[in-house]
Amino acid sequence: EVQLVESGGGLVQPGESLRLSCAASGFRFSNYAMSWVRQAPGKGLEWVSGIDANSDHRRYSDSVKGRFTITRDNAKNKLYLQMDSSLKPEDTAVYFCAKSADRVVVIGPYEYWGQGTQVTVSS
C-alpha cells in the first residue's frame, strides 16, 4: 500500500524558515518523481515544486523559485521542501506531497497524495 506522510508544518512568522518532510512507503521511491502541491484557504491546488527520480532535475513554480528548495533522500525514502527565511503570508496553505507515475517531473495528475501538513505564516 502506497503511503505518503507529510510533517514539519506549523505556525511561523514572515521571514522565518521551515522544512517539510514526506515519508514514503509501499513503493520503490527511487523510481519515481515526486512533487509538492499546496492549497491555500479557499483556493484551488497549486503545484509548487517537483524533483525527478534521480534528483537530476528540479522544477519550481514562479511563486516559490529562489525561496524554496526541493530535495530527496532515496536511501531514506524521504522528500523534503526547504522553505528558506523568506516565508510570506501568501505561502499559508496545506502542503501535500504527491507521487508521479514516472521518473520525470510532471505537473499533475498524480497517482497518490499524502494527507497534507498545514503551514501558516502570520505575525
Side-chain angles (χ1 to χ4, degrees):
E1 177 190 5
V2 173
Q3 286 196 326
L4 300 170
V5 180
E6 302 93 338
S7 61
L11 172 62
V12 296
Q13 295 189 347
E16 291 187 339
S17 302
L18 209 57
R19 187 174 86 151
L20 306 183
S21 299
C22 172
S25 61
F27 64 102
R28 187 162 289 187
F29 182 73
S30 59
N31 282 2
Y32 297 94
M34 298 291 294
S35 288
W36 287 99
V37 180
R38 69 185 180 185
Q39 185 168 29
K43 297 191 176 180
L45 294 171
E46 178 192 11
W47 176 82
V48 173
S49 180
I51 185 168
D52 69 9
N54 293 331
S55 302
D56 290 338
H57 295 96
R58 309 176 196 192
R59 297 174 63 184
Y60 300 93
S61 66
D62 289 342
S63 61
V64 307
K65 194 176 297 181
R67 299 190 299 121
F68 292 6
T69 303
I70 189 171
T71 58
R72 64 189 295 162
D73 185 335
N74 285 347
K76 295 183 178 179
N77 291 348
K78 283 200 169 181
L79 176 72
Y80 303 99
L81 186 68
Q82 178 68 43
M83 298 184 282
D84 288 332
S85 53
S86 56
L87 281 167
K88 307 174 183 180
E90 50 264 44
D91 294 317
T92 295
V94 178
Y95 285 72
F96 301 91
C97 66
K99 174 189 175 293
S100 294
D102 203 344
R103 300 184 62 86
V104 297
V105 175
V106 294
I107 302 178
Y110 301 109
E111 284 187 310
Y112 296 96
W113 299 71
Q115 84 291 345
T117 186
Q118 176 71 48
V119 172
T120 303
V121 184
S122 175
S123 55

